């Protein structure tokens, strides 16, 4: 349990940083869709950066986010900082084996590969399942934190700042 | 003011602790989450080298420390000549003993030739080779470390004088002789996958009752999809409520931390 809570704490700290950076870079966007994109991208960057260590999904998530925010120099700075902490080589390793996959399992692994970021680069089924396991943990942390933030935020959105002393 | 404050705290507390309890994390999952960083150091270092040199190193590190590549690395690397299968599993390492070693001094063929240098695979002391090669294997074992150090320079300058310092050991790889080894390795791999699937079953709620890999994968796919969709919806919700991107997170952080 402690690891999970620590993950959530790390995530929210990083998320605050990325949100601040996004906010300072962009002049007030009027569009809700833009805001939602910014929030989601910042959240994705934060959760990928929370995963210290080299996992395929975290690196793929960061590089995928990079393609969407190339016009924001601040976002690039965030991504560079997050990327420097991990080795950003995502290479494909082919397996020289002869395992026969059942058709149902094969189709589903293809689908799982499309869901997990960076999954298409993984050929080994064992490795894919490990990555999925890791990814689910962090994805769930992301959802939990966002849900809590949304719940608290909707209740106390306009309150003055004396709540900080609580 | 007090009512809303209490409500906000309670809802935050309930959601956090309630969700935490419902997750039911087992020790293995926690181990898994923290294990990859330890094992990927050597693995990612390997990835930065071309396939041939990585292969040499992999085999060398396998014999010295079998945990080097760890669990997260796939068992084999693709060799350009397609004849080698690298052992990282302990079962597959028995295969290493079957590889025959042909010392380079015999044919006088030094690795100044670029092709042969690509075909190199260093070999531990236990081999099927003849007794006279045994001494050469020992020498090459010492030289393996030197080879590792000069590997980067070897890549660029494959001069003959370097080759004379380190006589390369040419290995002709044979495939796993008996099918027993092969099926053993296959079975080990399948068991590993099944163990991971069990862990995934524990992680994904409602997956315990399902038998069969395909249905479990279905559940996992649904779970991942629903989580991703939740992220989308929550970010839309947060964007709709707040006029600016940087919403009031400081106070939220204060109340969040108090529950962890």
């Amino acid at each position: 349990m402690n690891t999970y809570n620590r993950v959530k704490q790390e995530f929210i700290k990083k998320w605050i940083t990325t949100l601040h950076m996004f906010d300072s870079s962009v002049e007030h966007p009027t569009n809700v869709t833009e805001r939602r994109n910014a929030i989601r991208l910042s959240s994705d960057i934060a959760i990928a950066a929370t995963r210290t260590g080299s996992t395929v999904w975290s690196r793929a998530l960061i590089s995928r986010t990079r393609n969407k925010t190339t016009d924001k120099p601040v976002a690039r700075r965030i991504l560079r900082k997050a990327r420097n902490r991990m080795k950003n080589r995502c290479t494909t390793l082919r397996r020289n084996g002869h395992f026969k996959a059942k058709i149902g399992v094969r189709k589903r692994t293809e689908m799982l590969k499309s869901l997990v970021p960076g999954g298409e680069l993984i050929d080994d089924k064992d490795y894919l399942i490990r990555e999925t396991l890791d990814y689910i943990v962090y994805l769930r942390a992301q959802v939990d934190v966002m849900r809590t933030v949304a719940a608290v935020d909707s209740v106390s959105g306009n309150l003055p700042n004396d709540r900080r002393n609580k | 003011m007090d009512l809303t404050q209490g409500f906000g705290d309670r809802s935050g507390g309930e959601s956090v602790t309630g969700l935490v309890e419902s997750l039911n994390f087992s020790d293995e999952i926690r181990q898994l989450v923290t294990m990859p960083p330890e094992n990927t150091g050597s693995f990612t270092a390997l990835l930065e080298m071309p396939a041939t040199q990585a292969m040499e190193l992999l085999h060398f590190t396998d014999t010295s420390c079998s945990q080097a590549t760890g669990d997260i690395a796939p068992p084999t690397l693709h060799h350009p000549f397609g004849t080698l299968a690298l052992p990282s599993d302990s079962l597959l390492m028995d295969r290493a003993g079957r590889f025959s070693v042909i010392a380079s001094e015999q044919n006088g063929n030094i690795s100044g030739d670029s092709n042969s240098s690509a075909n190199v695979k260093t070999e531990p002391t236990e081999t099927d080779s003849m007794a006279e090669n045994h001494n050469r294997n020992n020498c090459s074992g010492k030289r393996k470390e030197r080879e590792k150090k000069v590997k980067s320079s070897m890549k660029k300058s494959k001069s003959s004088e370097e080759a004379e310092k380190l006589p390369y050991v040419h290995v002709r790889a044979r495939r796993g002789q008996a099918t027993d080894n092969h099926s053993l390795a296959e079975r080990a791999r399948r068991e590993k996958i099944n163990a991971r699937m069990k862990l995934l079953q524990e992680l994904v709620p409602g997956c315990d009752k399902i038998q069969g890999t395909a249905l479990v994968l279905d559940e996992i796919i649904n779970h991942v999809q629903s989580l991703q969709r939740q992220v989308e919806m929550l970010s839309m919700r947060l964007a709709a409520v707040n006029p600016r991107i940087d919403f009031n997170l400081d106070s939220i952080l204060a109340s969040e931390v108090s529950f962890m």
Side-chain angles (χ1 to χ4, degrees):
Chain A
M1 301 303 169
N2 288 334
T3 318
Y4 191 62
N5 287 339
R6 222 181 304 139
V7 163
K8 289 203 274 188
Q9 278 181 335
E10 280 300 314
F11 167 62
I12 201 171
K13 282 186 215 158
K14 294 207 164 76
W15 194 23
I16 290 175
T17 317
T18 53
L19 276 174
H20 278 304
M21 283 184 169
F22 265 92
D23 191 44
S24 61
S25 76
V26 183
E27 324 82 33
H28 284 278
T30 53
N31 200 355
V32 170
T33 315
E34 270 184 37
R35 286 208 303 269
R36 180 212 47 181
N37 287 342
I39 289 178
R40 195 194 41 209
L41 288 175
S42 66
S43 169
D44 283 344
I45 296 175
I47 194 67
T50 311
R51 181 66 175 96
T52 55
S54 321
T55 53
V56 176
W57 68 264
S58 57
R59 283 175 276 154
L61 193 55
I62 283 191
S63 56
R64 181 204 287 178
T65 325
R66 180 172 46 136
N67 294 337
K68 294 185 186 158
T69 61
T70 42
D71 54 338
K72 301 188 172 103
V74 183
R76 252 180 275 144
R77 203 185 339 136
I78 302 169
L79 292 166
R80 212 176 302 133
K81 227 192 329 174
R83 253 192 297 147
N84 283 339
R85 264 191 257 125
M86 14 181 164
K87 305 230 171 100
N88 56 351
R89 302 281 191 118
C90 231
T91 63
T92 68
L93 299 160
R94 299 191 190 287
R95 195 178 167 269
N96 213 0
H98 311 285
F99 79 96
K100 302 179 194 94
K102 301 192 196 117
I103 298 300
V105 173
R106 172 162 246 146
K107 263 197 221 142
R108 285 168 174 91
T109 43
E110 294 294 320
M111 176 137 217
L112 188 61
K113 279 188 196 179
S114 68
L115 281 180
V116 173
E120 294 100 359
L121 305 166
I122 304 173
D123 287 335
D124 188 13
K125 202 165 80 159
D126 187 28
Y127 194 26
L128 177 68
I129 292 180
R130 281 198 129 239
E131 282 285 317
T132 310
L133 195 70
D134 203 74
Y135 180 54
I136 286 180
V137 172
Y138 281 80
L139 197 57
R140 184 177 275 180
Q142 185 179 7
V143 166
D144 278 347
V145 169
M146 286 180 84
R147 194 185 298 149
T148 315
V149 164
V152 176
D153 195 53
S154 65
V155 166
S156 62
N158 297 327
L159 289 180
N161 287 340
D162 60 339
R163 287 189 79 242
R164 219 176 293 165
N165 300 329
K166 198 259 168 226
Chain B
M1 200 72 70
D2 285 341
L3 252 181
T4 51
Q5 205 179 24
F7 176 62
D9 291 341
R10 218 184 317 130
S11 73
E14 266 175 9
S15 61
V16 167
T17 53
L19 282 166
V20 159
E21 280 162 16
S22 71
L23 278 176
N24 237 358
F25 264 66
S26 63
D27 280 344
E28 294 157 350
I29 297 175
R30 239 182 296 137
Q31 228 179 17
L32 265 178
V33 168
T34 55
M35 189 158 68
E38 301 162 9
N39 284 337
T40 48
S42 55
F43 177 61
T44 49
L46 281 174
L47 291 181
E48 288 166 355
M49 305 190 309
T52 59
Q53 297 181 351
M55 198 183 50
E56 294 167 317
L57 240 192
L58 233 191
H59 190 69
F60 175 63
T61 53
D62 266 337
T63 56
S64 57
C65 45
S66 61
Q67 298 293 323
T69 50
D71 272 344
I72 219 170
T76 58
L77 263 180
H78 176 61
H79 188 254
F81 298 88
T83 52
L84 290 179
L86 280 187
S88 76
D89 200 356
S90 56
L91 285 165
L92 291 174
M93 277 177 55
D94 296 357
R95 260 201 241 170
R98 296 179 197 275
F99 290 165
S100 62
V101 175
I102 303 167
S104 64
E105 288 95 333
Q106 278 189 336
N107 11 347
N109 184 10
I110 323 290
S111 67
D113 184 16
S114 59
N115 276 339
S116 57
S117 77
N119 209 357
V120 162
K121 191 164 188 279
T122 56
E123 180 55 31
T125 55
E126 53 187 39
T127 60
D128 297 338
S129 55
M130 293 87 67
E132 62 171 325
N133 285 339
H134 194 68
N135 294 331
R136 294 207 186 101
N137 286 342
N138 284 336
C139 301
S140 65
K142 271 183 240 155
R143 290 202 183 94
K144 261 190 265 178
E145 308 176 26
R146 237 189 296 154
E147 280 171 16
K148 232 187 9 166
K149 282 177 202 150
V150 300
K151 225 168 262 305
S152 50
S153 55
M154 280 306 291
K155 192 170 75 159
K156 295 181 182 145
S157 60
K158 297 181 180 151
S159 57
S160 53
E161 55 179 349
E162 276 186 331
E164 277 161 15
K165 275 188 243 157
L166 324 158
Y168 265 65
V169 177
H170 294 270
V171 175
R172 185 169 302 140
R174 282 182 292 203
R175 294 221 179 202
Q177 293 189 314
T179 37
D180 288 344
N181 270 353
H182 193 66
S183 54
L184 257 178
E186 276 302 315
R187 207 180 313 153
R189 200 173 159 277
R190 248 179 282 137
E191 277 169 13
K192 252 204 297 191
I193 294 181
N194 285 338
R196 305 243 184 284
M197 295 289 293
K198 286 211 189 68
L199 282 174
L200 270 175
Q201 271 180 314
E202 290 172 25
L203 189 52
V204 175
C207 231
D208 312 343
K209 326 271 186 320
I210 303 179
Q211 300 295 326
T213 313
L215 295 175
V216 171
L217 277 179
D218 255 349
E219 279 301 314
I220 291 162
I221 288 173
N222 286 339
H223 192 60
V224 170
Q225 272 176 337
S226 79
L227 285 174
Q228 286 176 340
R229 249 179 274 139
Q230 280 182 39
V231 170
E232 290 271 341
M233 287 196 302
L234 284 169
S235 60
M236 184 54 143
R237 189 164 142 200
L238 284 169
V241 167
N242 299 278
R244 24 196 299 259
I245 300 176
D246 170 24
F247 41 92
N248 196 8
L249 266 185
D250 295 331
S251 60
I252 293 170
L253 178 62
S255 61
E256 179 92 1
V257 170
S258 66
F259 287 110
M260 292 185 179

